[in-house]
Amino acid sequence: DQPVCIYVTTKDCFAAPRVWWTLRAFQHDNVCILQGGLPAWEAAGGPVEAGEPAEAALEGPYPVPKRAEFVADADEILQQSNGIVAGESQAQIVDARPAARFNGEAPEPRPGVKQGRIPGSVNFPIKTLFADG
């Protein structure tokens, strides 16, 4: 379980938590996120280098066993959605997109993705988790 530290170059980037979660979902638990990202590292006097990075040396194949409790397939979500709409399920399906996209009032940035939400889902925009929005 090789240690992995994830960092980003801006404080408001959501990529680091997504990478952290993905590694955890595939049973790589020795992972952390550098609080404040690269700006905090530089502010603390951490060294920064330029140019092509050295190739990382990984030992052997990297297994990716999935934690079943971390993911659900479309059939499972559809079953929960139907149960919520029918008032037969206490499950929660949470959509972290901005409210306008959740409500189908703003276009989706990715081609082919329909506007709107999964029936019975609730909106909890990810940016509400951050003090500066």
Side-chain angles (χ1 to χ4, degrees):
D1 202 20
Q2 184 177 15
V4 174
C5 183
I6 303 157
Y7 70 91
V8 294
T9 57
T10 62
K11 290 190 286 187
D12 63 348
C13 183
F14 306 119
R18 183 172 287 178
V19 171
W20 177 89
W21 183 89
T22 300
L23 288 171
R24 300 277 312 205
F26 287 102
Q27 298 185 14
H28 190 106
D29 294 328
N30 196 357
V31 59
C32 67
I33 297 173
L34 176 61
Q35 184 175 351
L38 188 60
W41 175 258
E42 291 174 317
V48 177
E49 61 186 12
E52 288 293 319
E55 187 118 355
L58 295 176
E59 297 177 18
Y62 190 83
V64 287
K66 177 178 81 172
R67 284 188 168 129
E69 70 273 16
F70 274 46
V71 295
D73 63 24
D75 290 335
E76 292 172 280
I77 298 298
L78 178 60
Q79 181 180 3
Q80 292 299 335
S81 172
N82 290 338
I84 293 167
V85 171
E88 300 167 354
S89 175
Q90 296 297 312
Q92 289 187 329
I93 301 171
V94 180
D95 187 320
R97 296 174 301 156
R101 287 176 50 206
F102 175 80
N103 293 326
E105 300 164 352
E108 284 297 320
R110 295 175 311 275
V113 175
K114 294 180 182 179
Q115 287 182 263
R117 63 185 171 274
I118 296 173
S121 62
V122 296
N123 188 222
F124 189 69
I126 189 75
K127 287 192 173 191
T128 62
L129 294 174
F130 300 93
D132 58 4

